[in-house]
Amino acid sequence: MTDHSFLLSDAAIDVLFREARTANTFTDEPVPAARVHEVFDVVKYGPTAMNNQPMRLLLVEQGPGRDRLVQHMGGSNAAKTATAPLVAVIAADTGFHDRMDQHFPIVDDARSFFLDEGARAEQAVYNTALQTGYFILGLRAAGLAAGPMGGFDRAGVDAEFFADTTWTSQLVVNIGHPGVDSWFDRLPRISTDDAIRAV
Amino acid sequence: MTDHSFLLSDAAIDVLFREARTANTFTDEPVPAARVHEVFDVVKYGPTAMNNQPMRLLLVEQGPGRDRLVQHMGGSNAAKTATAPLVAVIAADTGFHDRMDQHFPIVDDARSFFLDEGARAEQAVYNTALQTGYFILGLRAAGLAAGPMGGFDRAGVDAEFFADTTWTSQLVVNIGHPGVDSWFDRLPRISTDDAIRAV
């Protein structure tokens, strides 16, 4: 092993990557929304293009809100989302440009860089995905298991929760502590030979 | 502070998030490509949609390859990329579906889920961005500073390096150890009140 080459401890690398798994079932242990706020409060420092920070979260507790979400989940995802202690709908804010003058004050009128709607939507989706990577690892760093899922009716979720906003749903993440038979066997990963070239 | 709510140590959270910064200058200390291979070998475990793993890396050492890359960098990014000990061009492999039967053997013919070219390109870009989030934090976990940059001529880089592949360039990441005046002051981050809703 080459673990000595990491600055973080072997145990921390296990928590973030090697032993972390996508959870499909959860224990009853509740996850207060405040814990996700704490996670957001550190992952928000991860880099984005011109500091545009388009990721938004809708936290969905157990109760009527959860029922409204579950009806839009596809197939076997519905049961997972119904039982998770807490669920985060990750959204990309296509109106992020309205905050650019605050978020990127080192150039004049940073908002004007993002006036093209199509390019802005692409930036929102791409940088939200980057931030989603930070967020998933942040949840793990907090000792929480994450179950990210793309299989849901996006238009349905957007109409249900985001009609009055510029937010568009990207991913649903179940959050909790792993329950019984929470995951499948680890699936194969691509080799460095196939994934990395050099020049 | 609420650091006690993290499973990882306060120092680890600092390394990953709170004190980590986008580096713009680097010391002369070399970064062997093997270090990035080690980072890839753990970040590869991060979740992707149906385990599709589309992120690819082109590692560009100092020398003729670097000159070929620098000519496609925009404005002030050229000098940063010219001087970084190691540079990774992050690419999305739009041909990732050809590996799906290996990567997602738990369903029959997983390749067939990704035959639509437009949808496949979207999946490639989105999941590469997720993996890029893992990769940037993985570099930090290894004690390396990352300088991700979107400001470059993508078509130029693709023609220069990826003409014989299904890879498309997404981001250029300078990698090394922070040099003199390596970063600006921390830019403002969005508040949890503005970024998080609950239902």
Side-chain angles (χ1 to χ4, degrees):
Chain A
M1 286 302 303
T2 54
D3 306 335
H4 58 278
S5 71
F6 284 93
L7 179 63
L8 264 57
S9 70
D10 202 34
I13 300 296
D14 284 346
V15 164
L16 293 172
F17 299 112
R18 280 187 299 238
E19 295 187 358
R21 303 296 307 280
T22 289
N24 294 310
T25 68
F26 298 91
T27 68
D28 289 340
E29 189 178 341
V31 178
R35 300 229 35 218
V36 176
H37 283 246
E38 289 160 7
V39 168
F40 185 87
D41 251 337
V42 300
V43 303
K44 72 182 180 188
Y45 291 117
T48 52
M50 289 178 71
N51 196 37
N52 61 17
Q53 311 174 67
M55 184 178 75
R56 306 290 181 260
L57 303 178
L58 176 72
L59 297 184
V60 186
E61 310 263 9
Q62 289 281 4
R66 185 69 62 87
D67 298 337
R68 287 169 59 201
L69 175 59
V70 167
Q71 62 178 328
H72 301 291
M73 302 304 299
S76 59
N77 288 341
K80 301 177 198 172
T81 295
T83 53
L86 187 63
V87 176
V89 178
I90 295 184
D93 187 355
T94 58
F96 71 84
H97 61 312
D98 285 333
R99 297 177 189 273
M100 285 304 293
D101 292 342
Q102 293 158 259
H103 290 166
F104 206 66
I106 58 175
V107 302
D108 280 341
D109 196 13
R111 182 182 186 281
S112 69
F113 288 53
F114 298 99
L115 295 182
D116 181 84
E117 238 176 88
R120 191 169 73 240
E122 263 185 41
Q123 283 286 316
V125 170
Y126 180 81
N127 286 279
T128 294
L130 272 183
Q131 290 186 286
T132 301
Y134 311 145
F135 179 64
I136 290 171
L137 298 189
L139 290 171
R140 292 172 168 185
L144 295 165
M149 297 174 308
F152 63 93
D153 173 4
R154 291 176 183 220
V157 167
D158 290 351
E160 187 78 42
F161 296 109
F162 301 143
D164 64 329
T165 73
T166 48
W167 299 16
T168 59
S169 58
Q170 301 292 309
L171 201 67
V172 173
V173 182
N174 300 325
I175 302 170
H177 298 89
V180 177
D181 294 331
S182 197
W183 39 70
F184 309 110
D185 291 338
R186 177 74 90 182
L187 290 166
R189 292 306 195 269
I190 193 168
S191 69
T192 51
D193 278 354
D194 285 332
I196 306 180
R197 291 185 173 202
V199 72
Chain B
M1 286 302 304
T2 53
D3 306 335
H4 58 279
S5 72
F6 283 94
L7 179 63
L8 263 58
S9 70
D10 201 35
I13 300 295
D14 284 347
V15 164
L16 293 172
F17 299 113
R18 280 187 299 238
E19 295 187 358
R21 303 296 307 279
T22 289
N24 294 310
T25 69
F26 299 91
T27 67
D28 290 339
E29 188 178 341
V31 179
R35 301 228 36 216
V36 176
H37 282 247
E38 288 160 6
V39 168
F40 184 88
D41 251 336
V42 300
V43 304
K44 72 182 181 189
Y45 291 117
T48 52
M50 290 179 69
N51 196 37
N52 61 17
Q53 310 174 68
M55 184 177 76
R56 307 288 180 261
L57 303 178
L58 176 73
L59 297 184
V60 187
E61 310 263 9
Q62 289 280 4
R66 186 70 62 86
D67 297 338
R68 288 169 58 202
L69 176 59
V70 167
Q71 62 179 327
H72 301 290
M73 301 304 299
S76 59
N77 289 340
K80 301 177 197 172
T81 295
T83 53
L86 188 61
V87 176
V89 179
I90 295 183
D93 187 355
T94 59
F96 71 84
H97 61 311
D98 285 332
R99 297 177 190 274
M100 285 304 293
D101 293 341
Q102 293 157 260
H103 289 165
F104 206 66
I106 58 176
V107 303
D108 280 341
D109 197 14
R111 182 181 185 281
S112 69
F113 288 53
F114 299 99
L115 295 182
D116 181 84
E117 238 176 88
R120 192 169 73 239
E122 264 184 42
Q123 282 286 317
V125 170
Y126 181 81
N127 286 280
T128 294
L130 273 182
Q131 289 187 285
T132 302
Y134 310 145
F135 179 64
I136 290 170
L137 297 190
L139 290 171
R140 291 172 169 185
L144 295 165
M149 298 175 307
F152 62 94
D153 173 4
R154 291 175 183 220
V157 167
D158 290 351
E160 187 79 42
F161 296 110
F162 300 142
D164 63 330
T165 73
T166 49
W167 299 15
T168 58
S169 58
Q170 301 293 309
L171 201 68
V172 172
V173 182
N174 300 325
I175 301 170
H177 297 89
V180 176
D181 294 331
S182 197
W183 40 68
F184 308 111
D185 291 339
R186 178 73 92 181
L187 290 165
R189 290 306 194 272
I190 193 168
S191 70
T192 51
D193 278 354
D194 286 332
I196 306 181
R197 291 184 173 203
V199 71

